């Protein structure tokens, strides 16, 4: 079969992205427009603003992705777009544009689950490097601002199958990074800044108890569910950080930092570092250590109870340096290969959407023109 060029479009949260990927294994172009500057003053994503920014960015962004790939609207073989999960209004921008393109160009339209995209970011890059040695099934930890999910992923004749074997019962790991950063006046998003600040702190300074999962799953509405031993919970640690701030009288220092940062047009990492006294550096390092330990230990425990041959760690939080180093060390000790996407493909992008669409393209698993956004879409 000749090469297939798939144009991917992603707009589920606060990144507008377009990319062309050849046959699921070569990223020919990848353009991402981040809305961080828009949402930063609010300390989190504002859905209405996200939709407006996607609308503004999407047409020039797709044009740029095609130009960078030396492709045209007519030359691509299919249009792939994120159907969910994500913000409904944000998803709709990408979906409407993808539908319009597919209709006008008479090209197949492919709907992709965003979480499946994160998993395929790893496959895309490994194939691009020429790695044909991957063994299946894969145990994938998708860890981002909206998700902390464990999937067993299997390649089947008709495409990929995913079995969810664990998820967060409350906050996602990235959400905990973002909320703690907001509490400590460290800006938005919280992950990258806490990642860098932690290097300057003592991770053993504060002991945070790892979530014990004593409370029921808020998604289960009181009903027990099978396989809960692989679940996560990060709202407790966020509250523990808040309690630490209160009991150690850190409020004043936080407000001073908030004021000083607000006076700077574009604060750099050095500014944040200079405005963080040792107590804050130690606090974030200890917080990060607790989350990393929990993610690594629960994932490896899940791997031991399943027939997973390979581990994938993907999603925005997979960009975290300590998470990568700890996973690499512990997985190696257990003789399990672990793969991550490169940092640009860890956070939201459209190359992962175009890559995940390729098996669907081969299986002619196309979306009808009337499909809609699915904000709470599950991955199966
Ligand atoms: O995958 P992503 O771009 O969007 C979602 O699908 O949610 O992930 C964004 C999340 C944010 O919560 C952000 O704080 C976190 O990923 N993140 C990180 C790092 N870079 C981004 N968390 C920890 N360390 C990082 N270096
Ligand atoms: Zn994502």
């Amino acid at each position: 079969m000749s090469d297939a060029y798939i144009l991917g479009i992603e707009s589920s949260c606060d990144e507008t992205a377009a990319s062309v990927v050849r046959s699921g294994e070569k990223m020919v172009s990848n353009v991402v427009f981040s809305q961080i500057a828009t949402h930063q003053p609010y300390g989190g994503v504002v859905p209405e603003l996200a939709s407006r920014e996607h609308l503004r960015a999407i047409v020039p962004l797709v044009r740029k992705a095609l130009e960078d790939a030396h492709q045209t609207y007519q030359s691509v073989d299919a249009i792939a777009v994120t159907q969910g999960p994500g913000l409904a209004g944000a998803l709709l921008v990408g979906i409407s544009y993808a539908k319009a393109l597919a209709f006008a160009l008479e090209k197949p339209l492919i709907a992709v689950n965003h979480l499946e995209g994160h998993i395929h970011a790893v496959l895309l890059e490994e194939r691009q490097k020429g790695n044909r040695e991957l063994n299946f099934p894969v145990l994938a930890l998708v860890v981002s601002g909206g998700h902390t999910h464990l999937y067993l992923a299997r390649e089947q004749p008709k495409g990929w199958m995913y079995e969810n074997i664990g998820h967060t019962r409350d906050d996602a790991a990235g959400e905990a990074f973002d909320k703690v950063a907001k509490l400590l006046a460290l800006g938005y998003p919280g992950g990258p800044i806490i990642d860098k600040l932690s290097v300057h702190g003592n991770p053993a300074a504060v002991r945070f108890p790892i979530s014990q999962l004593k409370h029921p799953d808020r998604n289960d509405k009181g009903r027990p569910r099978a396989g809960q031993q692989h679940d996560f919970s990060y709202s407790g640690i966020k509250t523990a950080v808040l309690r630490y701030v209160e009991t150690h009288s850190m409020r004043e220092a936080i407000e001073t930092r908030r004021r000083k940062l607000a006076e700077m047009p574009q604060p750099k990492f050095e500014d944040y570092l200079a405005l963080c006294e040792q107590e804050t550096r130690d606090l974030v390092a200890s917080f990060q250590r607790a989350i990393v330990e929990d993610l690594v230990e629960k994932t490896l425990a899940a791997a031991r109870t399943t027939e997973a041959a390979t581990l994938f760690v993907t999603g925005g939080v997979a960009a975290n340096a300590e998470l990568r180093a700890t996973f690499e060390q512990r997985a190696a000790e257990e003789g399990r290969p672990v793969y991550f996407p490169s940092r640009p493909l860890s956070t939201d992008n459209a190359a992962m959407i175009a890559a995940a669409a390729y098996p669907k393209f081969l299986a002619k698993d196309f979306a009808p023109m009337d499909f809609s956004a699915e904000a709470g879409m599950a991955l199966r």
Side-chain angles (χ1 to χ4, degrees):
M1 170 143 188
S2 60
D3 282 329
Y5 287 83
I6 299 184
L7 168 67
I9 296 177
E10 152 68 37
S11 70
S12 66
C13 190
D14 60 346
E15 260 108 21
T16 325
S19 165
V20 176
V21 172
R22 191 185 70 213
S23 306
E25 58 177 31
K26 172 87 179 106
M27 185 171 80
V28 221
S29 70
N30 184 36
V31 193
V32 181
F33 171 72
S34 167
Q35 305 176 358
I36 285 178
T38 304
H39 303 290
Q40 177 105 46
Y42 305 95
V45 179
V46 182
E48 290 79 3
L49 295 183
S51 308
R52 190 189 72 189
E53 292 298 300
H54 285 309
L55 265 176
R56 259 216 265 262
I58 196 146
V59 175
L61 213 77
V62 167
R63 195 181 302 135
K64 174 95 170 59
L66 290 171
E67 273 169 22
D68 288 0
H70 304 294
Q71 294 285 319
T72 64
Y73 293 103
Q74 285 75 21
S75 69
V76 292
D77 296 286
I79 321 278
V81 66
T82 307
Q83 182 178 10
L87 303 168
L91 288 162
L92 268 177
V93 177
I95 292 174
S96 308
Y97 190 52
K99 279 184 186 175
L101 283 179
F103 181 74
L105 302 168
E106 298 182 24
K107 305 276 182 195
L109 181 62
I110 301 169
V112 175
N113 184 303
H114 181 84
L115 303 177
E116 180 173 26
H118 276 302
I119 295 171
H120 281 260
V122 186
L123 284 166
L124 163 64
E125 290 195 300
E126 288 308 313
R127 289 184 174 144
Q128 190 156 291
K129 283 183 222 157
N131 179 1
R132 308 269 158 193
E133 306 294 307
L134 290 178
N135 288 316
F136 301 103
V138 162
L139 178 65
L141 171 67
V142 183
V143 60
S144 69
H147 296 88
T148 307
H149 279 52
L150 276 171
Y151 292 100
L152 260 183
R154 297 183 178 84
E155 194 174 12
Q156 312 237 310
K158 283 189 144 179
W160 283 78
M161 295 281 292
Y162 306 90
E163 184 189 346
N164 179 219
I165 63 160
H167 66 226
T168 180
R169 296 194 184 181
D170 36 57
D171 292 353
E175 194 178 348
F177 273 94
D178 295 338
K179 286 176 174 171
V180 164
K182 189 175 180 180
L183 167 71
L184 298 174
L186 297 174
Y188 176 84
I193 184 85
I194 290 180
D195 188 350
K196 288 195 209 137
L197 274 178
S198 293
V199 178
H200 301 269
N202 172 10
V206 188
R207 263 189 54 80
F208 285 115
I210 292 296
S211 47
Q212 292 301 318
L213 296 181
K214 288 201 182 97
H215 58 288
D217 184 342
R218 76 179 173 204
N219 301 312
D220 283 350
K221 301 186 179 64
R223 288 189 305 276
R225 183 171 48 83
Q228 295 191 342
Q229 72 268 32
H230 303 312
D231 281 356
F232 305 87
S233 165
Y234 297 115
S235 75
I237 189 165
K238 171 194 68 187
T239 315
V241 173
L242 175 63
R243 207 175 309 122
Y244 187 91
V245 164
E246 302 293 350
T247 52
H248 291 74
S249 311
M250 294 174 74
R251 280 277 177 207
E252 211 180 300
I254 292 173
E255 288 320 313
T256 307
R257 176 162 57 244
R258 203 184 299 282
R259 223 179 26 253
K260 289 195 175 156
L261 285 168
E263 286 162 9
M264 298 179 183
Q266 268 180 330
K268 296 188 195 56
F269 172 68
E270 288 67 34
D271 301 318
Y272 284 99
L273 184 63
L275 288 170
C276 283
E277 66 295 0
Q278 197 57 41
E279 190 175 30
T280 301
R281 299 178 189 185
D282 290 349
L283 179 60
V284 296
S286 304
F287 159 80
Q288 178 173 288
R289 172 64 56 88
I291 299 242
V292 164
E293 283 292 327
D294 191 59
L295 286 169
V296 173
E297 285 311 312
K298 290 213 176 105
T299 304
L300 288 176
R304 283 179 224 121
T305 62
T306 60
E307 74 276 34
T310 305
L311 297 177
F312 282 8
V313 184
T314 184
V317 182
N320 187 273
E322 187 176 355
L323 185 73
R324 286 177 179 243
T326 311
F327 253 118
E328 258 156 14
Q329 190 201 331
R330 302 273 173 82
E333 282 164 14
E334 298 197 10
R336 289 179 201 281
V338 57
Y339 299 93
F340 307 85
S342 63
R343 281 194 174 73
L345 288 205
S346 295
T347 48
D348 288 350
N349 64 85
M352 67 186 200
I353 303 303
Y358 183 61
K360 297 182 203 293
F361 177 80
L362 293 180
K364 296 199 170 18
D365 180 4
F366 301 137
M369 269 296 166
D370 62 352
F371 90 92
S372 194
E374 234 188 275
M377 191 176 185
L379 177 59
R380 289 192 188 88

